[in-house]
Amino acid sequence: MPDAPRSAVGRSAPARPAPPEADTANGPDESAGPTAPVLSMLADDGAACVDGVCALPDPVTP
Amino acid sequence: MSQSLKIDIWSDVACPWCYIGKRRLESALERLTERDGARPDVTVEYHSFELSPDTPVDFEGTATEFLARHKGIPLAQAQQMQDHVTRLAAAEGVEFRTDRVRHTRTLKAHELLHLAKAHGKQYEMKERLLAAYFTEGRHVGHSSDLADLAAEVGLDRDEVLAALDSGRFAGDVAADIAQARAYGINGVPFFVLDGRYGVSGAQDPAVFVQAIDEATKAAAGTEEHADA
């Protein structure tokens, strides 16, 4: 997989899905909106816009 | 028998990486066509994601100035970011004119994309909106301007105006955003292949080729397993 272009100009948060916040103590929350399957990520940390800021992703630390 | 692969893309109009990611996915599909001698059986559907719902429809200023005023990024750094992404866009054959961009809220543009989908013209509408925003400096926040652009891709201007003014597709936009939240998506572009595999960001075309191959292979394996 080729390296994504990197830059020191700006850093954005990764656009990958965050694990859902689990609160199972009271059972499933029917009002929480749609559910979705957990995705298997085939490629992560590509350049993306997060919260209106379109910077480059953080470099991967070896 | 080859399987059709569905690619769902969460994206915004005022999103340079979404435009670049669109071009890179198209490049990947062209590479697959050249490699296999036939265009892959892929269906693309765009979904709504508002990066900055707090943007005023009539913001006076460029996207760079919006970043400086609303996101607390120093103007020089914001300009540097824009210049960098402009160079990367040019490498994909896309002209970004950040000096012309008229930053605005994109809610109505998303509603238009849902109307276009209902008429089988979503892909053309998406391309038209991206070019209008990034290259031509057109306003994409007002119903009348959006109706003009919609007419250019063959949609009925009066129908578009009525739909946007009534908010007929606002619920569909909200549903897309809720689905993104359910997936845990916090940035765009974001690609979901076959409803199971994720690709985040504007990846290199080679990465898209690999992801499409993997998702197609997995889908075929599932089908064989089901037939056994």
Side-chain angles (χ1 to χ4, degrees):
Chain A
M1 184 180 301
D3 291 336
R6 308 295 182 196
S7 168
V9 172
R11 304 295 179 206
S12 66
R16 74 168 75 86
E21 292 179 18
D23 179 10
T24 56
N26 299 312
D29 181 359
E30 299 295 336
S31 65
T35 58
V38 176
L39 298 172
S40 299
M41 294 304 295
L42 296 178
D44 218 335
D45 293 339
C49 299
V50 179
D51 191 26
V53 180
C54 303
L56 289 169
D58 286 320
V60 177
T61 305
Chain B
M1 180 180 152
S2 69
Q3 279 258 351
S4 177
L5 180 70
K6 175 87 182 293
I7 303 180
D8 293 284
I9 307 173
W10 271 263
S11 168
D12 198 354
V13 175
C15 165
W17 292 121
C18 298
Y19 205 174
I20 292 169
K22 182 175 184 293
R23 282 290 181 275
R24 290 179 175 174
L25 176 63
E26 289 164 353
S27 295
L29 294 174
E30 285 171 14
R31 288 187 193 187
L32 286 164
T33 302
E34 284 180 19
R35 186 193 70 184
D36 301 338
R39 190 163 181 81
D41 188 3
V42 168
T43 306
V44 172
E45 181 175 343
Y46 275 97
H47 297 273
S48 304
F49 192 99
E50 268 197 286
L51 278 165
S52 290
D54 58 333
T55 306
V57 170
D58 291 309
F59 177 76
E60 290 297 327
T62 64
T64 307
E65 288 163 344
F66 180 81
L67 282 172
R69 286 187 218 166
H70 290 255
K71 303 295 177 184
I73 297 173
L75 190 59
Q77 186 182 347
Q79 187 60 56
Q80 203 175 358
M81 289 164 60
Q82 300 279 23
D83 291 346
H84 187 73
V85 83
T86 296
R87 285 194 296 274
L88 289 175
E92 304 296 334
V94 175
E95 183 188 15
F96 278 8
R97 290 294 305 265
T98 54
D99 56 321
R100 289 183 182 170
V101 164
R102 301 177 72 185
H103 198 52
T104 184
R105 187 174 183 194
T106 56
L107 174 62
K108 289 292 172 189
H110 284 297
E111 291 181 26
L112 172 56
L113 284 165
H114 278 280
L115 184 151
K117 182 169 70 176
H119 289 280
K121 290 184 176 293
Q122 191 195 41
Y123 205 81
E124 297 97 311
M125 194 72 251
K126 181 75 174 181
E127 179 67 29
R128 188 68 198 92
L129 286 168
L130 289 167
Y133 180 81
F134 282 106
T135 305
E136 300 164 19
R138 301 271 294 267
H139 203 290
V140 298
H142 295 126
S143 297
S144 58
D145 296 316
L146 290 166
D148 289 342
L149 292 167
E152 291 180 29
V153 301
L155 295 172
D156 183 87
R157 194 177 188 285
D158 290 337
E159 183 194 357
V160 171
L161 273 179
L164 296 183
D165 289 345
S166 68
R168 181 177 149 202
F169 291 95
D172 296 283
V173 175
D176 272 355
I177 292 169
Q179 185 68 40
R181 194 174 296 125
Y183 274 129
I185 295 169
N186 62 5
V188 288
F190 194 96
F191 304 78
V192 177
L193 286 67
D194 197 29
R196 296 187 290 169
Y197 303 100
V199 172
S200 82
Q203 301 280 353
D204 187 275
V207 176
F208 281 121
V209 167
Q210 190 177 13
I212 291 168
D213 277 344
E214 285 190 39
T216 304
K217 190 176 169 186
T222 303
E223 189 181 51
E224 281 175 19
H225 191 71
D227 290 344

